Amino acid sequence: MTADDVRSRRLIIAGEIGNVILIGVLYLHALLWLNTLNCEISEFKSNDQTRIKRSSKHLPVDLEDYTIIIGQDTIIPRNVLDRSCSQVHQFCSEKSQRLTGFPGARGSPGDQGPVGPPGRRGPMGIVGPIGLVGEHGSLGEAGRDGKCNCPFPDMYVQRVPIPGPPVIKIEERMVPVPVVVVKEVEVTKLVPFEPTPPGFGPPEGWAPGMPKPGRTRKLPRYSTVRPPPTPKQKTTKPPIHVLPTEKNITMDEWNAEMNISTPRPYMGPPTLGYNRKECILAAVGIPVLHAESQYGRVGSWMRDALPNSMKTAKRRWVTDGFASPVLYEYEDERQLLDKVQKIKYYVDYLASGTGNVVYNGSYYYHKHGTTSLVRYELETGVQVEKELDPEMSHVDCGRLPDHTFEECNATDRHVWLYDRPHNYVDFAVDENGLWVIYAGADSETMKMAKLEPDLYMVGKWDVEVNTTDIADSFIMCGVWYGLKSACNLQTQITHAFDLYRNDTIPGQVEWYNPYQGLTMLHYNPLDARLYFFDNSSLLSVNVRIEEDLPEYIDD
């Protein structure tokens, strides 16, 4: 080790010793300063308490007039406090602020102010449900005689003067000042007449307004079903035309003289007649979606099966729910697709079920809770009510104020038609006219009837099929068909019964429920399609038929 290393080592040791001594001196100095500070604080407290006690006990009387004691430890001169308060108030007034003091006592209520202006009108609320159909009102007084405003063609009307003095007619005109015009008008009336053919004059005693003379006979209306025409026999002899020569001879005398016998027409009630079209359902096509209902999942839609014009043939009708007093009409299928309604028909009674139809301009439905059927004419509003069968099923569960049905046991109601709730009557239309399908109250067998447009029953059938074993049915070519299921995607038409031959037709036809919620199925002979309502969807499907008579018919 060299001398430089020894010297540097000594310097380092001396520096460390000096640092230790310095730290100890600083520690002693701080300890002495803290002790001195504690002594001063304790002495100040003792002196302050002595001063407070002395001031509170021996405060001069005149000093209270010039000083203000704030708490127990502060005495402020009055002039200083007043000067400070005035400065604070001046500052608050310049800054437009207020000094908030302690809340005072509650004051007495003031007078009532004037009524304010009315507020703005709030938004329109949600439309409530349709109310229940009310009871029939009392019969009103007889109205005044109406006036015919139907125009007559000029060729069928003639003006006949009425004997008597003319009528003075007074009119006011503005040309350019008010002028009163008085004139005589001949009193006439319009009388319809029928023109006579050229070369033949009217018979004696005939006057305008009387029926046209001639050999025309007015036959009574028998039935919508006509008998088949009889073929005409070809004759080789030329026809002989013999006309009466005497002026006053009648047609009956002339027929008796010529030994011509005219068969008397049938004057009895309408009959069933014959089957206008004999065919058997072979298969159904692919369902076509026409539109979506703007209402609930349950309902029906229909097309007039016997329209009286092209406009009526384009119209469509929709119902909503299992029971509704409203029938919605659409101008055509385009309006139905766009959900643009034309007319809402509010019928007088609650239409029960989803088996209603429109036929020949009239709406046919079952009156809820009764055994009656109703025909409602859409153009005139005239309706006809007739009882179908006093022993038919019609008692249903009670209805709630929101037009839904209460839950009830099977013993509290009659048996439903099909395996669908709240349905008792199902109308059907085919090439032969109007039909109705219903269930009996005592038995669960299917019942069917052929109806005239005025609801006259011309035939009745009892089919040995349980009403709850099928989901829906329709009639086509005089044959009743029953669908097995309305909820299964793939199902079959399993029942078929020929109503004109009273015989069961064997076989099954495949059926497809696209939305698995069918609530209505009808056949329309106008376009030979099946219309059905499936879970808010309005669909139709074409059919393939076999017009050749099957083997079972020859038995």
Side-chain angles (χ1 to χ4, degrees):
M1 183 180 296
T2 59
D4 295 335
D5 295 336
V6 173
R7 193 183 299 112
S8 61
R9 187 174 181 181
R10 289 178 180 177
L11 291 175
I12 292 172
I13 295 173
E16 292 178 355
I17 295 173
N19 290 334
V20 172
I21 294 172
L22 181 60
I23 292 172
V25 172
L26 292 175
Y27 176 77
L28 292 174
H29 180 268
L31 183 61
L32 293 175
W33 184 80
L34 290 174
N35 292 332
T36 305
L37 183 62
N38 292 331
C39 292
E40 292 178 357
I41 291 173
S42 60
E43 183 180 357
F44 175 77
K45 288 183 177 180
S46 61
N47 294 335
D48 191 15
Q49 292 177 359
T50 304
R51 183 175 62 84
I52 292 172
K53 291 180 181 180
R54 187 184 302 123
S55 62
S56 61
K57 291 182 179 181
H58 305 285
L59 189 65
V61 179
D62 54 353
L63 185 61
E64 294 180 357
D65 299 335
Y66 300 98
T67 60
I68 295 177
I69 301 175
I70 300 177
Q72 296 182 356
D73 300 336
T74 306
I75 299 176
I76 300 177
R78 183 180 294 275
N79 58 351
V80 175
L81 182 61
D82 294 340
R83 193 183 310 113
S84 300
C85 290
S86 62
Q87 292 177 356
V88 171
H89 282 285
Q90 183 177 0
F91 175 79
C92 293
S93 62
E94 291 177 355
K95 299 296 183 180
S96 300
Q97 296 181 359
R98 296 180 180 180
L99 288 175
T100 304
F102 293 101
R106 186 180 182 87
S108 58
D111 298 335
Q112 186 175 0
V115 179
R120 294 183 300 175
R121 186 176 181 179
M124 183 178 294
I126 302 174
V127 179
I130 302 174
L132 298 176
V133 179
E135 301 292 337
H136 279 284
S138 58
L139 185 63
E141 299 179 357
R144 296 181 299 177
D145 295 336
K147 296 182 180 180
C148 179
N149 58 355
C150 46
F152 290 95
D154 295 337
M155 62 180 298
Y156 294 109
V157 177
Q158 63 177 352
R159 189 175 294 276
V160 179
I162 299 177
V167 177
I168 299 177
K169 186 176 182 181
I170 302 176
E171 297 180 355
E172 294 185 2
R173 300 179 181 177
M174 301 290 293
V175 286
V177 296
V179 177
V180 178
V181 180
V182 180
K183 61 180 180 179
E184 295 182 354
V185 180
E186 183 183 10
V187 181
T188 60
K189 66 177 181 178
L190 296 177
V191 177
F193 74 98
E194 298 182 4
T196 58
F200 296 88
E204 297 180 1
W206 186 86
M210 296 178 63
K212 179 181 177 181
R215 294 161 48 184
T216 304
R217 295 184 179 181
K218 189 174 181 181
L219 300 179
R221 183 174 179 272
Y222 308 124
S223 173
T224 56
V225 180
R226 299 179 180 177
T230 56
K232 297 182 180 180
Q233 297 180 359
K234 296 183 179 180
T235 58
T236 57
K237 297 182 180 180
I240 301 176
H241 299 280
V242 180
L243 297 176
T245 57
E246 299 182 3
K247 294 184 179 180
N248 296 330
I249 189 173
T250 61
M251 291 302 303
D252 294 338
E253 295 176 355
W254 181 68
N255 292 336
E257 183 179 354
M258 300 302 297
N259 294 326
I260 299 175
S261 61
T262 303
R264 292 189 177 184
Y266 174 71
M267 302 299 294
T271 58
L272 179 63
Y274 71 103
N275 193 352
R276 291 189 176 184
K277 183 178 181 181
E278 295 184 353
C279 65
I280 302 297
L281 179 64
V284 296
I286 301 175
V288 177
L289 177 63
H290 294 259
E292 292 286 342
S293 175
Q294 61 187 106
Y295 302 102
R297 297 178 178 270
V298 177
S300 64
W301 78 296
M302 59 206 79
R303 178 185 184 184
D304 196 338
L306 188 63
N308 51 17
S309 63
M310 290 299 298
K311 290 185 178 180
T312 307
K314 294 180 180 179
R315 293 172 183 170
R316 301 294 184 267
W317 292 268
V318 175
T319 63
D320 176 40
F322 286 114
S324 174
V326 185
L327 176 67
Y328 305 96
E329 180 180 303
Y330 298 85
E331 186 69 24
D332 49 28
E333 284 203 5
R334 181 63 185 179
Q335 302 295 332
L336 178 63
L337 182 63
D338 296 338
K339 297 178 175 59
V340 179
Q341 297 175 4
K342 179 185 176 183
I343 301 176
K344 290 183 180 179
Y345 296 96
Y346 291 89
V347 295
D348 292 346
Y349 307 108
L350 193 64
S352 177
T354 58
N356 311 323
V357 296
V358 175
Y359 178 70
N360 196 17
S362 298
Y363 176 51
Y364 292 85
Y365 65 92
H366 171 221
K367 184 178 177 182
H368 178 72
T370 66
T371 59
S372 300
L373 305 180
V374 180
R375 185 192 70 179
Y376 178 85
E377 296 184 5
L378 300 178
E379 294 294 335
T380 62
V382 178
Q383 64 181 14
V384 177
E385 180 182 350
K386 194 168 186 179
E387 186 179 24
L388 174 62
D389 188 348
E391 298 180 357
M392 65 174 290
S393 178
H394 65 279
V395 178
D396 202 353
C397 303
R399 287 176 58 84
L400 299 174
D402 59 348
H403 300 284
T404 58
F405 287 89
E406 297 178 352
E407 294 184 1
C408 62
N409 299 325
T411 57
D412 299 334
R413 56 169 176 82
H414 287 171
V415 61
W416 286 326
L417 179 66
Y418 309 141
D419 61 350
R420 184 170 62 246
H422 314 297
N423 202 75
Y424 293 97
V425 173
D426 188 11
F427 286 89
V429 178
D430 72 341
E431 293 79 3
N432 300 286
L434 185 64
W435 304 79
V436 65
I437 307 168
Y438 62 100
D442 298 334
S443 62
E444 296 183 355
T445 57
M446 194 77 63
K447 297 180 180 294
M448 303 170 198
K450 179 68 174 63
L451 302 178
E452 287 289 296
D454 58 355
L455 300 178
Y456 178 81
M457 184 185 298
V458 298
K460 184 178 178 182
W461 294 262
D462 290 342
V463 182
E464 295 298 329
V465 176
N466 196 316
T467 58
T468 58
D469 288 346
I470 59 176
D472 214 313
S473 66
F474 62 94
I475 297 177
M476 183 183 70
C477 298
V479 180
W480 171 80
Y481 296 93
L483 183 65
K484 182 178 180 181
S485 174
C487 302
N488 296 336
L489 188 63
Q490 297 285 348
T491 184
Q492 298 86 26
I493 298 176
T494 55
H495 296 77
F497 185 83
D498 194 329
L499 299 173
Y500 283 87
R501 300 181 181 273
N502 294 325
D503 196 0
T504 303
I505 301 176
Q508 293 184 355
V509 177
E510 296 295 327
W511 179 266
Y512 178 69
N513 294 315
Y515 302 98
Q516 305 177 22
L518 186 142
T519 57
M520 160 258 174
L521 176 61
H522 283 161
Y523 171 72
N524 194 311
L526 186 64
D527 53 3
R529 297 183 67 88
L530 291 172
Y531 289 78
F532 61 103
F533 192 100
D534 190 0
N535 201 358
S536 299
S537 300
L538 282 56
L539 304 102
S540 71
V541 62
N542 60 343
V543 297
R544 183 168 62 86
I545 61 177
E546 295 179 357
E547 297 187 0
D548 297 335
L549 298 181
E551 296 180 356
Y552 80 96
I553 295 181
D554 299 334
D555 296 340

